[in-house]
Amino acid sequence: DTAVSQTPKYLVTQMGNDKSIKCEQNLGHDTMYWYKQDSKKFLKIMFSYNNKELIINETVPNRFSPKSPDKAHLNLHINSLELGDSAVYFCASSQYGTAANEKLFFGSGTQLSVL
Amino acid sequence: KQEVTQIPAALSVPEGENLVLNCSFTDSAIYNLQWFRQDPGKGLTSLLLIQSSQREQTSGRLNASLDKSSGRSTLYIAASQPGDSATYLCALHRGGGADGLTFGKGTHLIIQP
């Protein structure tokens, strides 16, 4: 069973559209994250949720809205897509988000291409 | 603001060699440091995690060290194999709630058969 799964794997869309990426983890973790990896392969955190509550919201345009219906799911909705949004988006989870010895588990990524 | 630098950006070595990947950081107030492996088209796999109070961790042919005072970590790979070819990323947890990781840009490693 895949621990952290995200869909779709590839997403190609036109500028101005609204799209969503879904993420689910079956590890029983309390904390989930969204990371963005840009064209230069630089990974940067976007959001962090702990038990459905937003903890981190880095400098991300408000066109990006995370939604966590329960602690096993963290979806990412993007409004009015722009060319610069093209990137690979990774979902991740960790047990509590606070313990010094806990690892992060990543999904396989969603490659978003905005045309 | 924490900055993480990985050197070299790319490395190509013959199979069987031992090698060292380097990671440096600017703020020594870290919670832990993790080394990840990223294969093309796939997510990241956590290889080793060193807590702030620890100096090193080992897993099989991998050994990671942490020197907070100098702001450095190394990942040592012994007896490299073609299957080790991947991008290796260093990431620091800065602590404080359900915080995220600050990543370096990675070292792209190629092991020549």
Side-chain angles (χ1 to χ4, degrees):
Chain A
D1 281 345
T2 304
V4 181
S5 58
Q6 52 183 111
T7 55
K9 187 170 177 63
Y10 300 98
L11 184 54
V12 181
T13 188
Q14 300 286 331
M15 273 176 49
N17 285 350
D18 302 338
K19 291 293 179 184
S20 292
I21 307 172
K22 296 185 176 181
C23 179
E24 175 182 3
Q25 53 95 3
N26 63 6
L27 298 167
H29 287 171
D30 287 347
T31 304
M32 296 184 72
Y33 310 82
W34 278 108
Y35 282 83
K36 177 180 179 180
Q37 188 171 41
D38 61 25
S39 57
K40 296 181 180 178
K41 305 300 183 185
F42 190 44
L43 260 168
K44 190 171 182 182
I45 189 163
M46 301 173 68
F47 301 103
S48 162
Y49 264 75
N50 179 265
N51 267 318
K52 303 195 298 176
E53 182 180 342
L54 180 65
I55 303 297
I56 298 174
N57 182 356
E58 294 290 319
T59 308
V60 176
N62 58 15
R63 297 181 295 101
F64 290 79
S65 54
K67 287 191 170 47
S68 182
D70 55 63
K71 75 173 192 177
H73 295 83
L74 181 62
N75 303 322
L76 183 64
H77 189 76
I78 315 169
N79 290 327
S80 303
L81 279 155
E82 300 178 357
L83 293 177
D85 297 332
S86 296
V88 181
Y89 293 84
F90 287 97
C91 177
S93 73
S94 64
Q95 180 69 64
Y96 305 112
T98 55
N101 62 346
E102 59 180 65
K103 295 182 176 181
L104 249 66
F105 293 80
F106 279 80
S108 58
T110 295
Q111 186 169 328
L112 172 64
S113 299
V114 182
L115 307 177
Chain B
K1 180 185 173 185
Q2 179 72 273
E3 291 185 6
V4 181
T5 304
Q6 290 188 245
I7 294 173
L11 181 64
S12 180
V13 300
E15 180 179 3
E17 283 199 7
N18 303 325
L19 56 100
V20 175
L21 307 181
N22 297 292
C23 171
S24 61
F25 47 94
T26 54
D27 186 350
S28 62
I30 63 172
Y31 211 36
N32 64 42
L33 182 147
Q34 293 185 56
W35 281 93
F36 290 88
R37 168 185 175 139
Q38 184 174 22
D39 293 282
K42 297 187 178 179
L44 282 71
T45 302
S46 181
L47 298 172
L48 290 165
L49 181 151
I50 310 176
Q51 296 181 49
S52 176
S53 58
Q54 298 173 329
R55 296 298 299 267
E56 66 176 345
Q57 285 288 326
T58 298
S59 176
R61 294 182 294 107
L62 306 179
N63 176 276
S65 68
L66 173 64
D67 184 345
K68 285 198 308 176
S69 61
S70 65
R72 293 185 179 183
S73 175
T74 61
L75 178 67
Y76 175 81
I77 303 177
S80 58
Q81 303 171 358
D84 295 330
S85 298
T87 296
Y88 290 81
L89 294 150
C90 164
L92 285 93
H93 191 304
R94 55 194 178 192
D99 213 338
L101 298 177
T102 302
F103 280 85
K105 292 188 178 182
T107 294
H108 181 55
L109 176 65
I110 296 175
I111 306 299
Q112 306 155 11

